[in-house]
Amino acid sequence: GSLVSAAKAGRALNKIANTPGLWYNLFVLRWGAVRGDAPFCWKAAYFERDTEELEKVMTGNEVSFRELYFGMQISRRSQAPTLADVRDDIQLTAATAMSILDKVRRWRQQHS
């Protein structure tokens, strides 16, 4: 939801929102650690698993309950992890943001 929207807001936010570690943590927080081979792209793996889960819920329940289960499934997407859960990503995101700021400053110095 909001992470995907942030990615559309600009290049800097897009870069931050597509950080593999961020998607890895969101994946692990929702479904637990991966056993065996790790996915090539955590963002794609997250959306693939989300779609599979939604399809399972929609086809595995009585028609009268599907709307309820659909709403519950969608609400899982918007659950925010706690600060303790994403502490490493905050540091990584801050480092990425500082890297981008440094590049902007250098570009401005060179072009002013």
Side-chain angles (χ1 to χ4, degrees):
S2 59
L3 190 56
V4 174
S5 298
K8 295 176 184 177
R11 288 183 189 158
L13 287 176
N14 182 287
K15 185 172 183 173
I16 292 167
N18 286 304
T19 303
L22 179 64
W23 287 100
Y24 167 79
N25 280 340
L26 289 172
F27 187 97
V28 171
L29 286 170
R30 188 159 169 197
W31 293 290
V34 175
R35 296 173 194 214
D37 295 334
F40 175 73
C41 175
W42 286 105
K43 181 179 177 182
Y46 182 91
F47 284 111
E48 182 179 320
R49 179 74 68 92
D50 180 69
T51 301
E52 289 171 1
E53 200 173 71
L54 183 58
E55 287 172 355
K56 183 178 177 183
V57 165
M58 295 305 289
T59 58
N61 289 298
E62 292 182 35
V63 175
S64 59
F65 291 116
R66 286 185 185 166
E67 186 175 342
L68 174 66
Y69 285 116
F70 179 78
M72 291 169 55
Q73 195 66 25
I74 296 302
S75 71
R76 287 184 180 175
R77 294 178 182 170
S78 61
Q79 290 177 337
T82 65
L83 181 59
D85 293 331
V86 295
R87 192 170 312 263
D88 292 337
D89 282 331
I90 290 171
Q91 292 170 352
L92 179 62
T93 303
T96 302
M98 291 307 296
S99 172
I100 293 169
L101 287 173
D102 289 340
K103 289 177 185 177
V104 169
R105 285 185 190 124
R106 278 187 256 136
W107 184 88
R108 284 184 179 167
Q109 288 172 349
Q110 292 172 352
H111 294 89
S112 50

